[in-house]
Amino acid sequence: MHAFKLLILISLFFGLTACQSVKPVKLPKEPSPKEKNFSAVSVKIKGKTYQLHLANNDTTHAFIKRLPLELTLQELNGNEKFQELPFELPTDEQPIQQIRKGDVLLFGSRTLVIFYEDFPTHYKYTRIGKLAPHQVDSLKSNTSVQVKIARPK
């Protein structure tokens, strides 16, 4: 008799647990064709071409639509080169706190900045992307630098 009651209890237990709803597994989002095609753009600095790895945000999507660009970057503070763009971009300014060598950021809605030194900051920027740190060594000078940014071929 106890075996029969035990069998009923076990059956009820498994029956009730089987009726509980199962939460679907959330799969990672597949990158859109736009994200796949434009995760990086080419940047030509002093005759050498590098890959700028882009942040995935509205700013970079708008930036990509404006390419190719030829800019004359001006020196500022011994740690960055900048150029005001001839157009505005959407922004999502965030407190960066620590600039890293190779960061490519947007200051305000029009100023593109490429940093060639690490340093702390209290300014807010919108992230555009990142160059490898060694790729920005050629920006270290007191002179302006010609840069060409284009979609990869």
Side-chain angles (χ1 to χ4, degrees), residues 8-73:
I8 289 176
L9 284 173
I10 291 172
S11 297
L12 283 172
F13 174 75
F14 284 114
L16 290 174
T17 57
C19 292
Q20 290 181 356
S21 65
V22 176
K23 292 182 180 178
V25 175
K26 194 169 187 176
L27 298 173
K29 181 184 160 205
E30 179 70 22
S32 71
K34 185 189 293 186
E35 292 168 342
K36 285 180 182 175
N37 291 338
F38 302 115
S39 62
V41 294
S42 65
V43 177
K44 192 171 189 175
I45 303 170
K46 294 187 176 180
K48 293 186 179 180
T49 302
Y50 305 109
Q51 292 298 303
L52 168 59
H53 298 279
L54 298 171
N56 183 11
N57 60 39
D58 291 341
T59 305
T60 57
H61 292 289
F63 181 68
I64 288 165
K65 291 177 184 176
R66 300 294 194 134
L67 298 180
L69 285 173
E70 290 190 36
L71 304 170
T72 302
L73 301 180

Side-chain angles (χ1 to χ4, degrees), residues 21-145:
S21 65
V22 176
K23 292 182 180 178
V25 175
K26 194 169 187 176
L27 298 173
K29 181 184 160 205
E30 179 70 22
S32 71
K34 185 189 293 186
E35 292 168 342
K36 285 180 182 175
N37 291 338
F38 302 115
S39 62
V41 294
S42 65
V43 177
K44 192 171 189 175
I45 303 170
K46 294 187 176 180
K48 293 186 179 180
T49 302
Y50 305 109
Q51 292 298 303
L52 168 59
H53 298 279
L54 298 171
N56 183 11
N57 60 39
D58 291 341
T59 305
T60 57
H61 292 289
F63 181 68
I64 288 165
K65 291 177 184 176
R66 300 294 194 134
L67 298 180
L69 285 173
E70 290 190 36
L71 304 170
T72 302
L73 301 180
Q74 305 298 315
E75 171 60 30
L76 185 64
N77 299 327
N79 57 26
E80 65 190 77
K81 297 286 192 207
F82 78 97
Q83 173 65 52
E84 188 168 316
L85 299 171
F87 48 84
E88 289 190 357
L89 291 170
T91 63
D92 182 22
E93 295 176 322
Q94 302 292 322
I96 300 294
Q97 296 179 347
Q98 182 66 36
I99 299 290
R100 299 283 180 210
K101 184 177 180 180
D103 281 349
V104 179
L105 306 174
L106 184 69
F107 182 73
S109 62
R110 296 179 67 139
T111 306
L112 183 73
V113 187
I114 301 176
F115 293 93
Y116 57 85
E117 295 289 347
D118 295 345
F119 63 94
T121 185
H122 63 277
Y123 291 106
K124 292 182 177 183
Y125 295 91
T126 301
R127 194 163 295 283
I128 297 285
K130 180 86 171 164
L131 289 161
H134 72 276
Q135 295 172 337
V136 295
D137 285 338
S138 63
L139 295 177
K140 294 179 183 180
S141 71
N142 291 328
T143 61
S144 60
V145 176

